[in-house]
Amino acid sequence: MSLRGLDVASYQAPLNAGTINADFIIVKATEGAGYVNPYCDTHYQQAKNANKLRGVYHFARNSVNDSETEAKYFVDNIKGYIKDAILILDWEDGAFTGDVAWAKRWLDKVHELTGVKPVIYM
């Protein structure tokens, strides 16, 4: 079985995620320890109302912040999606992606805070 999907972020604000010809939509929720996507819930609800599978992701800024701070920031801002969406770490902060221990700590902290095992998206 294969599924078609894509990710959406604030630069795609006018997009209606519910009308995309895809099985799933992954919506950017947060980045680093200070950014919340202002269109996250709009895109998320559009996908949900269209009965698409859903995920929310956090864009890591591991070159700047520690993993536990970013994990807590993500969880604090996605509480309404827990157990309705896949939780995802978007891991692509340049040369710093080699710090796999950072990613593991983030994944473990999100799991500890939510009871949900997140995945890595690259």
Side-chain angles (χ1 to χ4, degrees):
M1 174 182 183
S2 64
L3 298 172
R4 293 171 295 126
L6 58 96
D7 69 351
V8 296
S10 61
Y11 68 89
Q12 296 155 313
L15 182 80
N16 181 334
T19 62
I20 298 170
N21 185 17
D23 301 303
F24 67 89
I25 304 294
I26 299 169
V27 182
K28 181 176 185 175
T30 57
E31 179 174 328
Y35 175 79
V36 174
N37 175 4
Y39 302 99
C40 178
D41 194 59
T42 298
H43 287 144
Y44 188 89
Q45 296 305 326
Q46 290 168 343
K48 184 173 183 169
N49 290 337
N51 294 315
K52 296 184 183 298
L53 300 171
R54 298 162 304 284
V56 289
Y57 73 90
H58 173 78
F59 189 94
R61 286 295 181 193
N62 52 297
S63 60
V64 179
N65 302 302
D66 69 82
S67 58
E68 291 193 354
T69 297
E70 289 203 16
K72 186 172 180 335
Y73 186 75
F74 175 63
V75 170
D76 286 347
N77 286 285
I78 54 96
K79 291 189 185 257
Y81 311 127
I82 296 170
K83 301 199 177 169
D84 189 63
I86 294 173
L87 309 181
I88 303 164
L89 173 62
D90 186 349
W91 181 247
E92 55 182 303
D93 193 9
F96 297 95
T97 56
D99 186 2
V100 295
W102 191 102
K104 175 73 166 112
R105 287 189 307 271
W106 188 95
L107 295 166
D108 289 345
K109 187 66 174 179
V110 169
H111 181 229
E112 173 190 319
L113 294 171
T114 65
V116 176
K117 288 189 177 185
V119 299
I120 296 180
Y121 170 74
M122 305 181 211

